[in-house]
Amino acid sequence: MKKTYLLTPGPTQVPESVLALAAKPILHHRTPQFMSVMNEVQEGLKYLFQTKQDVMMLSSSGTGAMEASVTNLFRKGDKVITVNGGKFGERWTKISKAYGLNPVEIKLEHGMAVTVSQIEEALNKNPDARAVLFQASETSSGVQMPVKEICELIQKKPDCISVVDAITALGVFDLPMDAWGIDVLITGSQKALMLPPGLACLSLSEKAWKAAEKSDLPKFYFDLTKERKGLAKGQTAWTPAVGLIIGLQETLKMIKTEGLENLFKRHRLLADATRNAVRALGLELLAKDSPSTSVTAVKIPAEIKEGKAVPKTMRDKYGVSIAGGQDDLEGKIFRLTHLGYVDKFDIVIGISALEMTLRDLGYSKFEFGAGVGAVLKTFSEAK
Ligand SMILES: *Cc1c(COP(=O)(O)O)cnc(C)c1O
């Protein structure tokens, strides 16, 4: 027998109480019972997004909400600034191009966060830019971006909005939408919402809704104006992902019970423990100076020639699923996740399997237990 453990940055682990809900009969979505679920979920999402605005739910993976942001907010030919810090930032550029926008891309070196001055410079060079589209946490590189400062800058520009992909950030670290003036905030079910894939959530500021009124891009299924109208009646425009929304009711309850402060604190501690372990093993983070609280990307040491063997051995030999690198980072990094339904001993398991794997693959610049020891030390010293 072999137990398996899911420590990838999406899908993430789903709590047992949510899995059990899947065994219940399906509710019809145009009923008072489901509307009361919708209303409770809406309250919970507003708490999580820290907003007074409506939070729309789309039946899609996270990319659907990214696409909906583009098609609902812009006009053909609009210039937008995209931040490409990796695979997901690059996706902003691709979606923008697919819909005939004119993206100006800020391409970052692997492991770098965008700086506020880079954004400022791009905005100065492109005063006609309608938006800055970026990630709060770039999952492919394990880098966290300065969301607050970027949004502050954009708030001063009357015709420009901030579009923040927080798919691995919301519910991990503080992103108060209203307080920071974030115009579009996006998340997806299979990350910190602790659900199976298939649901995307997003919210728009007043400024973003104004931009939406002027949009002329084609849209039908992902029409946010229709979704907003539906929400006023406790409904969605189309048949909702009923099972996922019922699961969301449960995970939002868990989030509320833990409280945002504690939730952020837990994630910080798990991220710290993971980074301390990695360093204790003599390994290097990909993130230069702004590692993400959601996921830790680690460079494969030179002693290991076949980098892809790290996640493969972890999964096939030890039953612990982690992520490798994507695209040009394939075989060069691996990624350990500490987001969602994760607690202290998930990290102990992940680092234990990592130590065994590194030894198996010929990297032995550490004493067994060095990484796990660093994890336990971090936990025991935490206040
Ligand atoms: C997972 C993820 C997405 C969305 O990917 P989907 O496969 O469409 O859910 C987008 N951005 C980031 C930063 C992500 O981590």
Side-chain angles (χ1 to χ4, degrees):
M1 188 201 85
K2 187 162 73 191
K3 274 203 182 184
T4 57
Y5 305 88
L6 187 62
L7 291 175
T8 56
T12 60
Q13 298 180 57
V14 177
E16 299 77 358
S17 58
V18 175
L19 294 172
L21 291 173
K24 291 199 172 177
I26 291 290
L27 274 184
H28 190 277
H29 55 288
R30 309 290 184 211
T31 56
Q33 288 80 3
F34 190 69
M35 280 177 213
S36 102
V37 173
M38 282 288 288
N39 291 334
E40 193 181 316
V41 163
Q42 192 53 216
E43 282 315 302
L45 285 172
K46 285 179 177 172
Y47 172 74
L48 177 65
F49 278 64
Q50 302 186 64
T51 188
K52 290 198 181 68
Q53 301 293 336
D54 296 322
V55 184
M56 275 82 56
M57 288 180 285
L58 309 175
S59 301
S60 74
S61 77
T63 307
M66 293 173 76
E67 177 159 328
S69 310
V70 169
T71 56
N72 281 266
L73 293 164
F74 303 113
R75 301 174 62 83
K76 210 169 173 67
D78 270 356
K79 188 183 272 185
V80 294
I81 292 164
T82 56
V83 177
N84 177 354
K87 194 174 180 69
F88 296 102
E90 182 188 35
R91 191 166 297 175
W92 279 131
T93 309
K94 287 183 175 170
I95 300 171
S96 303
K97 281 189 182 152
Y99 283 99
L101 301 190
N102 174 14
V104 176
E105 185 179 84
I106 303 176
K107 176 113 169 72
L108 304 172
E109 251 175 72
H110 288 312
M112 297 300 291
V114 74
T115 62
V116 181
S117 52
Q118 276 173 302
I119 300 280
E120 199 160 19
E121 197 190 313
L123 286 171
N124 288 340
K125 269 195 201 152
N126 302 282
D128 52 340
R130 292 274 169 257
V132 180
L133 302 105
F134 64 106
Q135 271 61 39
S137 166
E138 172 55 64
T139 316
S140 66
S141 65
V143 167
Q144 200 161 312
M145 308 288 182
V147 179
K148 183 181 185 205
E149 293 76 9
I150 295 173
C151 292
E152 247 167 35
L153 201 64
I154 297 169
Q155 258 193 311
K156 294 185 200 132
K157 316 235 167 229
D159 294 319
C160 187
I161 55 175
S162 52
V163 182
V164 183
D165 164 1
I167 296 178
T168 48
L170 197 74
V172 176
F173 52 88
D174 201 17
L175 287 171
M177 178 169 154
D178 292 355
W180 287 3
I182 299 171
D183 291 309
V184 182
L185 191 59
I186 302 172
T187 193
S189 57
Q190 82 276 28
K191 310 283 172 94
L193 293 182
M194 307 181 275
L195 295 169
L199 193 69
C201 305
L202 79 167
S203 186
L204 271 58
S205 69
E206 291 299 338
K207 196 177 171 189
W209 280 115
K210 289 238 163 63
E213 281 170 21
K214 294 190 214 130
S215 164
D216 65 356
L217 293 178
K219 54 195 150 283
F220 185 79
Y221 186 69
F222 292 138
D223 185 336
L224 298 180
T225 306
K226 277 201 203 102
E227 292 298 340
R228 190 193 208 184
K229 275 195 195 129
L231 273 185
K233 292 176 280 170
Q235 302 212 332
T236 49
W238 322 112
T239 304
V242 172
L244 291 171
I245 292 174
I246 286 171
L248 183 57
Q249 182 183 25
E250 173 68 18
T251 59
L252 287 169
K253 255 187 223 155
M254 291 171 64
I255 289 172
K256 193 83 190 274
T257 304
E258 184 174 16
L260 289 182
E261 269 314 306
N262 292 328
L263 180 89
F264 302 146
K265 199 170 156 193
R266 168 167 59 88
H267 282 99
R268 243 181 349 254
L269 179 64
L270 301 181
D272 281 345
T274 304
R275 287 178 215 148
N276 291 343
V278 164
R279 292 192 187 107
L281 295 171
L283 302 175
E284 208 188 319
L285 303 189
L286 178 68
K288 294 281 186 311
D289 40 35
S290 184
S292 172
T293 316
S294 319
V295 52
T296 296
V298 185
K299 292 184 186 169
I300 305 269
E303 289 80 356
I304 297 177
K305 295 295 169 235
E306 182 49 40
K308 280 194 275 183
V310 175
K312 189 174 183 317
T313 307
M314 292 271 288
R315 183 193 61 219
D316 296 345
K317 190 165 175 190
Y318 299 110
V320 179
S321 279
I322 62 162
Q326 296 157 294
D327 298 335
D328 51 337
L329 283 172
E330 194 178 346
K332 299 198 175 122
I333 60 164
F334 62 86
R335 292 174 295 152
L336 301 163
T337 308
H338 25 79
L339 85 111
Y341 187 55
V342 225
D343 202 356
K344 295 189 183 73
F345 292 98
D346 293 293
I347 307 301
V348 173
I349 289 170
I351 298 298
S352 308
L354 177 64
E355 290 196 19
M356 310 264 276
T357 299
L358 292 171
R359 277 284 175 96
D360 290 349
L361 297 176
Y363 176 81
S364 51
K365 280 186 181 164
F366 65 93
E367 292 286 329
F368 260 140
V372 173
V375 170
L376 301 183
K377 190 160 176 285
T378 310
F379 292 155
S380 73
E381 284 170 1
K383 280 175 238 61

